[in-house]
Structures are given as structure tokens and as C-alpha cells.
Amino acid sequence: MKRIAAKWVVPFGALAVCGLGFLLFPPTNARGAGRVPKREPFVETAKFRFTAHLLPRMVPDAAHVAAAVTVADRATGASRDELLPDGSSVQRGIALSPDGRFVYTVHGIGRYKLPATQLERGWQCSSALSVFDARTGAYLNTVSLDDETRGAANPWSVAVTPDGRRILVTHAGTGELSVIDRAAFHKRFSERMADPDLVADFSFLRGVRERVDLKGDGPREILRVDDRSATIDLHFSDFTAEVRFDEDNRVVHAPKARATAWDSARRGEFLFNDAKACFQQWQSCASCHPDGGKDGLKWDLRGDGVGNPRNTISPADGVHDRMACVAGSYEEDLFAEMPEGGARNLFDFVSTLPRSGDGRACAK
């Protein structure tokens, strides 16, 4: 939704990966990592508590704008923020390996310093897995979850099987589960750990990861995991998905207790979160508007020419009563055609979102 604002700020798909800002998530205390969700995901070792934060703390004009993991010493209470790569945000999942050696987080990366003119090779948004040393609390490096010509949009949850053999990542935007061979991953990772450009290598996971199509929509939480299988909630489907590792990652569905009624706003929420319609599946509106909010990054969008980076605004603030805004934003940001009836669906969904009152109207 790039044209949501009067001077065009951030695309729905490239609208900076951060979201909600101060409207839904108040500032944290001084030792936190800034604007964070009400329920901060964390893991603990005997020595440290690792807390993952959804959004960056710093102002959008800072040289390095990124979410962080707060590493707190459980004995002394002292803490520090380990920043993720520049542009990192929408950090939703965190997991500790069973051997206590590594902590993994999943998040998006918005390349907000580039003009939003294309999507290829994560030009605007990409998805990432960051690794920390659980024994020292140190950030080690970040790898891409995307392939060269196929994004893995909106990573949501991460888990490690109890036997330590597999790292699992749900991709809410593309309806997939990444199943990563952990031993092979770390062998490769140890050889490249000092590489400052590792996150830009979209071939890193080739041969050590399988992208499993869950044959459903909106995989988010990993409900259960053991050495042989994992069960995943499909937010936009009336069933859950079980992936059976010992059966070549076969997917089995189980119905939910109650089906969800689909009205126009629900359909719009699905379109807002679905990256499968996007060119090469790099992003969805929610990649940069997590939970329907604003990200706090400054993007250089096509709507007002190159060289005019501006802050994002909330979708609800920008759309008001202009349904044409929604259609133009969706098609421009995702490089995709609006499905029949989609403009009305998206408008009805965006109309349910809270407004922050920054007052700028749609450019159309």
C-alpha cells in the first residue's frame, strides 16, 4: 500500500518491516529494545534471558535502524541490546537449541535505504534467521531464509526438535515450513560466520533446507514439536498441519474444533497477509505493516520520485474512505494484480484497524 499517504511513504509490501509503533505498543523501559509487543517472546539459559523485540527503538533517521535481542544476565540483572542487521524488524520468534549452545530468531529485513523500484533478490524485503551464542550472549550472524528467485515471506515462529536435528521455521506469507538440517547448517555457518555479507547470500540454505508446502494458509505458531513431527496452526485455514519428518516431511491435516466465518474484512485480512500473490513471493502488506500498523522506517517510494524518503503511516490513517488507494497500493507494492473483489475486501479490513491520527490522506 504505497500510495496510502499524501506524499507516499512506504509500500504495504515494502513499507518497512516494523509496524504499530507507539499506538499499540508503548515504549519499553531504558533497557529494552524499544517498541515491543505486549507479549515479548524469550528463552532462558542458566545464565541469560534472551528477549526478542518486534520493532526497532531508534529514530528512523539513525544510521542503523533495527530491532534487537535483549540479553540479560539473570544473576546480576545487567542487560545489553544485541542489534540485528540494519533494517531488521518484525522479530516474532525465538528458540533455544536443546544442547544450550545456540539461540535462533526469525525476522524480516527491510532495505529501506534503496528506492522501492523492484522486488528481485530481496531488493525491498527479505526474511532472515539470526544466530546467537547462548553461552556468551553474543550475536554471531544472520542468514537469508529466501532463495534467489523465491522469497520466504513473513517468518513467524522458530523451533528446534528435541533431538537437535532440525531447525523449523514457519512462513506465514507463503504457507510453508522450513525444515533445516541443523548439523549441516552449522557446519556451513561456522565456515562463514565472520562474513559480513552472509545475509545477502540467497543460496546459503541450498541443500540443507526443505521448504514444505503446508497446503494451507497463514502458518504461524508451532503448536507441538517432537523428534518425528511438528503441528502448525494455519491461521487462515480451518485445519492444522502436521509435518511428519520420518515420512519425508509428509503433511497431514486435522480439522479445527470450530470453522471461521469469512466475511469481506476477513478476506481482506487474508489478502493483507498473503505473499503468494506477490511477484516471487517476497512480501505482503503485513511484511511492513505487522499487525496492521506502521513500521517507523523511512522509505524512498516511487509515488513522489526517487530521493524523497518519508516515514510510514498507518494504513487506517492513509486510506480513510478511498478504496482506490487500496487497489493501487496493493498492485504497486506486490507487483501483482488485485483479485476480483479484493479492493473492497482490503478496504473493509483496513477500516477495522485503529488510526494513529497523523492526519495524512491518500494521494489518489
Side-chain angles (χ1 to χ4, degrees):
M1 278 191 129
K2 286 179 187 157
R3 288 196 197 134
I4 272 181
K7 299 253 179 170
W8 255 146
V9 278
V10 183
F12 254 18
L15 269 173
V17 232
C18 278
L20 290 188
F22 290 102
L23 175 62
L24 296 182
F25 306 140
T28 61
N29 57 34
R31 63 179 202 150
R35 289 162 277 174
V36 298
K38 295 177 181 177
R39 181 184 65 84
E40 298 173 322
F42 68 90
V43 294
E44 290 182 331
T45 66
K47 185 174 182 180
F48 296 113
R49 178 184 176 117
F50 296 81
T51 303
H53 300 291
L54 183 75
L55 304 174
R57 174 176 72 181
M58 59 288 296
V59 297
D61 292 321
H64 186 109
V65 182
V69 170
T70 297
V71 183
D73 188 304
R74 299 180 65 189
T76 67
S79 67
R80 67 182 188 272
D81 284 347
E82 293 282 351
L83 287 179
L84 298 172
D86 192 26
S88 295
S89 187
V90 197
Q91 184 183 206
R92 295 191 184 273
I94 189 167
L96 174 67
S97 64
D99 58 13
R101 295 183 59 191
F102 298 100
V103 170
Y104 309 97
T105 74
V106 290
H107 54 91
I109 296 180
R111 291 179 173 81
Y112 63 98
K113 293 177 180 177
L114 299 175
T117 55
Q118 63 184 57
L119 297 181
E120 288 87 343
R121 297 188 65 83
W123 182 269
Q124 292 183 25
C125 293
S126 63
S127 299
L129 171 73
S130 288
V131 185
F132 292 77
D133 187 326
R135 295 166 295 187
T136 67
Y139 164 75
L140 298 179
N141 212 325
T142 299
V143 305
S144 174
L145 288 165
D146 308 289
D147 296 316
E148 293 98 323
T149 59
R150 182 182 168 205
N154 305 352
W156 194 284
S157 294
V158 59
V160 184
T161 54
D163 60 9
R165 293 179 57 192
R166 301 173 180 88
I167 303 170
L168 310 176
V169 179
T170 60
H171 299 277
T174 59
E176 297 170 299
L177 177 73
S178 279
V179 180
I180 302 169
D181 182 322
R182 185 165 168 261
F185 170 87
H186 275 286
K187 182 178 184 300
R188 190 174 294 180
F189 184 78
S190 65
E191 296 168 352
R192 303 271 310 272
M193 195 165 59
D195 184 352
D197 298 319
L198 180 60
V199 69
D201 183 356
F202 293 106
S203 66
F204 180 81
L205 290 178
R206 185 185 300 159
V208 304
R209 183 265 302 267
E210 180 179 350
R211 296 175 63 161
V212 179
D213 183 358
L214 297 176
K215 302 177 175 63
D217 296 308
R220 295 186 175 183
E221 301 299 333
I222 299 175
L223 303 175
R224 182 197 58 79
V225 60
D226 57 35
D227 295 342
R228 301 178 62 186
S229 65
T231 301
I232 297 100
D233 174 54
L234 299 172
H235 185 70
F236 293 108
S237 296
D238 290 329
F239 48 84
T240 60
E242 179 185 0
V243 179
R244 298 179 177 176
F245 310 131
D246 54 353
E247 299 179 25
D248 295 326
N249 294 331
R250 185 166 73 92
V251 178
V252 178
H253 292 150
K256 295 179 181 177
R258 179 178 297 180
T260 302
W262 279 66
D263 57 11
S264 180
R266 174 70 169 175
R267 173 69 178 170
E269 182 188 6
F270 166 74
L271 293 174
F272 191 89
N273 286 273
D274 181 40
K276 288 182 283 188
C278 174
F279 174 72
Q280 293 186 349
Q281 301 185 352
W282 287 104
Q283 60 198 35
S284 72
C285 306
S287 299
C288 309
H289 284 290
D291 307 319
K294 52 185 179 179
D295 59 14
L297 299 182
K298 298 183 74 170
W299 284 82
D300 190 358
L301 307 176
R302 291 177 288 170
D304 60 356
V306 174
N308 300 292
R310 299 181 184 274
N311 293 340
T312 304
I313 66 170
S314 162
D317 285 318
V319 169
H320 295 305
D321 61 349
R322 303 297 298 277
M323 189 157 57
C325 244
V326 178
S329 300
Y330 179 94
E331 293 181 351
E332 183 171 298
D333 293 347
L334 304 190
F335 289 65
E337 292 186 9
M338 176 69 73
E340 183 176 356
R344 166 54 65 183
N345 300 147
L346 275 168
F347 177 77
D348 289 344
F349 168 66
V350 169
S351 297
T352 70
L353 300 174
R355 291 175 58 181
S356 63
D358 52 19
R360 288 176 287 178
C362 177
K364 286 190 174 184

